[in-house]
């Protein structure tokens, strides 16, 4: 099994004597240089590693002098990191009736903005119940207005389209909207942290007068008690 995997890997990257070009461009930490392939092979042997062709379509082909197993590990690690960075998208649904009132419309518009800012797709649709299918043009106007109001946050993937008793509109998030959301989230977290710190400080530092400080006439009560203690 290990030999099979190695063969597959070797088909993806030529190494050592598999490299047929007369000369190659060696890249490393110190930059790059073009040398005869035989010279590059000798350099790799001296370091007891491999000559790996990483860009075969370049002129001349680009190679690195590196341990081949280490190179494959780095490629696998890089691919894993890129996969983890990818934003997982969900499709969020927003439902309307053909005669949605202004308050309900604004409420759903607000939620749609949040969905798009979080990097999710939005599928908005108008559901026509019974004879309300007669208002399909009104539903189309509603969805077009919805798309226009979300222009800053999302792009239209599909214009309003009737499918049975539902008319659908599909929106995808814009990149700048996702970035804006990230900044808003950081600002909100900073404000929440500041509020918590302020509340904690107040709890640790009681007001003058102790338990009576918040009561009506509390300061006077506290002063009277102090005088009584002094007399005793």
């Amino acid at each position: 099994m290990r030999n099979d995997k190695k063969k597959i890997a070797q088909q993806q990257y030529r190494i050592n004597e598999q490299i047929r070009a007369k000369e190659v461009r060696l890249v490393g930490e110190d930059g790059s240089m073009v040398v005869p392939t035989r010279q590059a092979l000798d350099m790799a042997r001296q370091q007891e590693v491999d000559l790996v062709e990483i860009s075969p379509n370049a002129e001349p082909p680009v190679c690195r002098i590196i341990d081949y197993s280490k190179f494959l590990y780095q490629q696998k690690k890089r691919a894993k990191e890129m996969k983890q960075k990818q934003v997982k998208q969900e499709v969020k649904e927003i439902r309307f009736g053909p005669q949605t009132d202004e308050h309900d419309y604004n409420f759903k518009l607000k939620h749609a903005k949040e969905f798009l800012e979080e990097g999710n797709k939005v599928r908005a649709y108008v559901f026509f119940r019974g004879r309300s299918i007669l208002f399909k043009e009104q539903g189309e106007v509603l969805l077009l207005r919805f798309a226009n109001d979300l222009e800053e946050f999302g792009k239209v993937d599909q214009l309003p389209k009737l499918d049975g008793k539902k008319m659908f509109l599909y929106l995808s998030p814009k990149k700048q909207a996702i970035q804006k959301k990230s900044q808003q989230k950081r600002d909100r977290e900073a404000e929440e942290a500041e509020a918590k710190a302020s509340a904690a400080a107040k709890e640790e530092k009681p007001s003058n007068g102790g338990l009576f400080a918040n009561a009506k006439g509390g300061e006077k009560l506290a002063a009277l008690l102090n005088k009584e203690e002094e007399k005793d």
Side-chain angles (χ1 to χ4, degrees):
M1 181 65 72
R2 292 181 65 183
N3 290 334
D4 292 341
K5 289 183 178 180
K6 188 173 182 180
K7 287 179 181 178
I8 293 171
Q10 288 178 349
Q11 290 174 2
Q12 295 176 347
Y13 301 98
R14 295 189 185 95
I15 64 170
N16 301 327
E17 286 76 12
Q18 294 175 350
I19 302 169
R20 301 300 182 186
K22 291 182 179 180
E23 59 181 16
V24 296
R25 180 179 294 277
L26 282 181
V27 295
E29 295 179 357
D30 299 328
S32 67
M33 61 179 178
V34 177
V35 298
T37 304
R38 186 167 296 280
Q39 181 182 341
L41 284 168
D42 290 339
M43 294 169 65
R45 291 192 189 100
Q46 288 173 7
Q47 298 179 39
E48 297 184 347
V49 288
D50 302 294
L51 181 67
V52 182
E53 186 182 60
I54 59 175
S55 184
N57 297 325
E59 190 63 39
V62 179
C63 297
R64 284 185 65 188
I65 293 178
I66 188 173
D67 181 85
Y68 188 49
S69 59
K70 181 180 179 181
F71 172 76
L72 292 177
Y73 171 76
Q74 289 176 348
Q75 294 295 101
K76 185 177 179 180
K77 184 179 179 182
R78 190 176 293 111
K80 185 178 180 181
E81 288 174 352
M82 289 180 66
K83 186 177 180 180
Q84 289 175 343
K85 288 180 181 178
Q86 290 178 346
V87 178
K88 185 180 178 182
Q89 282 190 331
E90 295 182 15
V91 179
K92 301 290 187 177
E93 284 196 343
I94 301 289
R95 172 177 169 171
F96 292 102
Q99 296 178 324
T100 301
D101 61 40
E102 193 68 17
H103 175 76
D104 191 31
Y105 174 85
N106 289 328
F107 178 77
K108 291 177 178 178
L109 181 67
K110 178 184 176 183
H111 280 287
K113 287 179 181 177
E114 292 175 354
F115 294 149
L116 291 168
E117 286 177 336
E118 290 169 359
N120 299 308
K121 291 188 175 184
V122 170
R123 177 171 63 188
Y125 68 93
V126 178
F127 179 67
F128 300 98
R129 189 188 303 274
R131 293 177 61 84
S132 67
I133 193 67
L134 297 172
F135 300 99
K136 63 181 180 179
E137 290 183 0
Q138 189 171 336
E140 184 178 5
V141 170
L142 174 66
L143 290 177
L144 288 173
R145 176 192 173 191
F146 192 65
N148 185 65
D149 289 343
L150 293 170
E151 185 179 7
E152 181 184 349
F153 305 91
K155 58 182 179 180
V156 177
D157 289 338
Q158 178 185 300
L159 289 169
K161 183 179 179 181
L162 188 64
D163 185 4
K165 293 185 178 181
K166 297 179 181 179
M167 183 176 286
F168 292 95
L169 168 75
Y170 290 85
L171 298 167
S172 291
K174 286 185 176 179
K175 289 184 179 180
Q176 68 179 71
I178 298 173
Q179 293 171 355
K180 183 178 179 182
K181 175 64 177 181
S182 300
Q183 184 61 47
Q184 288 176 343
K185 187 176 181 180
R186 287 195 293 269
D187 293 342
R188 186 169 63 250
E189 288 175 350
E191 289 175 2
E192 290 175 356
E194 187 177 345
K196 287 180 180 179
S198 178
K202 288 179 180 179
E203 290 178 2
E204 291 176 1
K205 187 178 179 182
S207 302
N208 293 333
L211 295 173
F212 298 103
N214 296 325
K216 187 174 181 181
E219 293 181 359
K220 292 181 179 180
L221 287 171
L224 288 171
L225 284 174
N226 288 335
K227 287 182 179 179
E228 292 296 325
E229 289 175 359
E230 289 174 358
K231 288 179 181 180
D232 294 342

